[in-house]
Structures are given as structure tokens and as C-alpha cells.
């Protein structure tokens, strides 16, 4: 079913319009979809209760004609894709929630894309810290984050082994690090300075609300963070 055929009278802005269109398409294709989580209005989110695998389908943004499909599993978003064909959306959803692996899902729905780390994680799951880094770094390759300076700060930080063993944390485009895996948002677990990217391309380095420096490159900001870390700091736990 193409974009126009699935469109209801109220358009994709109506709550439930996307879910209804996907349901009709699945019935026409003879494919079974798992339980639908109806809490999200315009979104369509399907969850396989047994495996915990999840597919989130987003309707087109204004001026766009493609649906965004995100595949989640093994504690992380692993793959995504864009298509205007509802049949392809349903096929990908049924495959992933039905137990197909990433490669098999892509074979059935070629619009689905994933990076090598996702395939490696599917085969042998990464630890929490490494997985968090990989998920965040994956945004470097996807809009809109691929155009924001924050991505550059993440890349520069990941190049430092001492930071790579800590949990990276983001909020409002700021970046800092935590020694806690489970409670990384808690202030007491924060270690070192905070990097704040600015729209003009500069990077601010802050400590307890005080601006310590502004740098022209993310590497310079990261170097200041690393230099201020206490000696012998261990991995996040």
C-alpha cells in the first residue's frame, strides 16, 4: 500500500490514523503484528512480549512523504529506515517482532539500515557503558544530530580511553560523564567538567556553573576535561 492509499480523511496528524492504516495493510498482506501500544497517539509502537523486541513507526513530518521505522532490541535502538510504502513498513515490523535477525529483516525489507556495531551487539551483547557510547555515536550518522556540534564532542571524547570507560550523559546538547551505570543522572556520580557546544561552533567547558574556558575545537574542550580528572579513576559501575 502506497502513501496515498493509506492516508485517512484526517491525514496522518489524527491520533490512531497510522495504527489503523498499518492494521489494514497487515490484514491485506496476511501478516500478523504483535500487541499495539496505543499510548503515543500519532505513533504506532509494536512490542513482542516474549522477546521485548519493539518497532516504532513515526508518521511523516510536515512536508515529508516517508514513514520512519525504528527497530529496538537487546536494550538498544539497533536499526532504522524511511519509506513511503506501508507494505514495507508492515513487512519490517512483522519480521523483526517475529524473531528475524537484523540481516534477515533487512533482506525482507531492504529500506532498513543498521551499522556494524548493531550486528555485533545482536550476536554478542556489549556491556552497558560501551553500548551507551555506541548508541550515542550512532546519532552522528543520522539527522538531525549529524549537523550539530554535540556529535563532534562525542567523537572527540570517545577517542580518549579514560573517558571511554565512563558513562556519557547528554542533556540539552551538553555532555558530561558519570561513574555510575545505573544512576548516571545523579549529580554525585558526575565526574569532571561539562562540555557545552554553542551554535557559533565554540565549546564551553563548565564546572559547577562556572565557565572555565571556551575552545574552538571539541578536542581542546575534551583535553581540558581529561586533564582535570582524578588519577586512577576506574570504569563506571
Amino acid at each position: 500500500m502506497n502513501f496515498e492509499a493509506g492516508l485517512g480523511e484526517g491525514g496522518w496528524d489524527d491520533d490512531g490514523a497510522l495504527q489503523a492504516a498499518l492494521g489494514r495493510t497487515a490484514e491485506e498482506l496476511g501478516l500478523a503484528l504483535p500487541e499495539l501500544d496505543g499510548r503515543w497517539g500519532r505513533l504506532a509502537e509494536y512490542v513482542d512480549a516474549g522477546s521485548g523486541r519493539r518497532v516504532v513507526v513515526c508518521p511523516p513530518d510536515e512536508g515529508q512523504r516517508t514513514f520512519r521505522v525504528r527497530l529496538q532490541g537487546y536494550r538498544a535502538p539497533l536499526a532504522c529506515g524511511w519509506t513511503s510504502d506501508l507494505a514495507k513498513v508492515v513487512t519490517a515490523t512483522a519480521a523483526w517482532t517475529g524473531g528475524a535477525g537484523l540481516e534477515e529483516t533487512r533482506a525482507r525489507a531492504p529500506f532498513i539500515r543498521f551499522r556494524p556495531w548493531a550486528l555485533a551487539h545482536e550476536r554478542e551483547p556489549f556491556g552497558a557503558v560501551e553500548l551507551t557510547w555506541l548508541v550515542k555515536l550512532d546519532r552522528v550518522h543520522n539527522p538531525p544530530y549529524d549537523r550539530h556540534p554535540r556529535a563532534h564532542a562525542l567523537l572527540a571524547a570517545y577517542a580518549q580511553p579514560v573517558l571511554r570507560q565512563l558513562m556519557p550523559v547528554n542533556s540539552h546538547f551538553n555532555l558530561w560523564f558519570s561513574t555510575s551505570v545505573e544512576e548516571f543522572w545523579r549529580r554525585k556520580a558526575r565526574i569532571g567538567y561539562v562540555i557545552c557546544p554553542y551554535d557559533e561552533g565554540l565549546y564551553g567547558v563548565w564546572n559547577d556553573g562556572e565557565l572555565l574556558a571556551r575552545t574552538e575545537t571539541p578536542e581542546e574542550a575534551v583535553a581540558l576535561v581529561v586533564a582535570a580528572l582524578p588519577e586512577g579513576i576506574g570504569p563506571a559501575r
Side-chain angles (χ1 to χ4, degrees):
M1 182 181 291
N2 61 27
F3 185 89
E4 288 81 6
L7 187 62
E9 294 182 1
W12 299 116
D13 287 335
D14 284 0
D15 287 357
L18 179 58
Q19 295 94 320
L22 290 172
R24 292 193 299 268
T25 304
E27 185 175 353
E28 292 171 4
L29 294 174
L31 293 174
L33 296 179
E35 195 73 25
L36 177 66
D37 188 334
R39 295 176 298 167
W40 308 113
R42 294 177 67 240
L43 302 180
E45 185 165 357
Y46 299 90
V47 183
D48 177 67
S51 66
R53 291 187 178 197
R54 184 179 300 264
V55 175
V56 181
V57 184
C58 302
D61 293 328
E62 185 176 355
Q64 302 296 318
R65 295 173 59 83
T66 56
F67 306 96
R68 183 173 187 264
V69 182
R70 185 170 72 248
L71 276 55
Q72 300 178 12
Y74 305 98
R75 301 177 292 118
L78 297 180
C80 66
W82 288 261
T83 180
S84 60
D85 192 331
L86 283 168
K88 294 180 180 179
V89 175
V90 169
T91 299
T93 302
W96 179 246
T97 57
L102 287 172
E103 291 181 312
E104 184 180 349
T105 299
R106 184 172 60 183
R108 298 185 194 178
F111 75 95
I112 292 295
R113 294 289 182 267
F114 52 85
R115 294 181 58 77
W117 74 264
L119 193 59
H121 179 62
E122 180 185 37
R123 293 170 177 168
E124 187 175 349
F126 294 113
V129 174
E130 187 173 7
L131 180 60
T132 300
W133 273 106
L134 291 169
V135 169
K136 289 182 179 294
L137 287 168
D138 207 39
R139 296 178 179 177
V140 175
H141 306 281
N142 293 299
Y145 301 105
D146 56 345
R147 299 186 297 271
H148 197 278
R150 179 179 70 175
H152 302 161
L154 280 168
L155 284 170
Y158 188 69
Q160 297 292 331
V162 68
L163 294 180
R164 205 158 56 235
Q165 66 178 339
L166 301 173
M167 285 286 285
V169 189
N170 290 118
S171 177
H172 296 85
F173 299 104
N174 302 325
L175 171 65
W176 69 92
F177 307 92
S178 174
T179 58
S180 174
V181 172
E182 297 294 335
E183 299 183 328
F184 53 86
W185 283 101
R186 290 188 178 275
R187 188 175 182 84
K188 65 179 182 180
R190 183 183 300 180
I191 187 76
Y193 300 153
V194 179
I195 299 175
C196 303
Y198 293 96
D199 291 337
E200 59 268 26
L202 299 177
Y203 296 81
V205 180
W206 293 75
N207 184 40
D208 291 331
E210 178 185 358
L211 178 63
L212 303 179
R214 280 193 178 186
T215 69
E216 294 185 356
T217 68
E219 289 79 12
E220 291 173 304
V222 168
L224 292 174
V225 173
V226 171
L229 290 174
E231 292 186 7
I233 183 173
R237 299 185 183 279

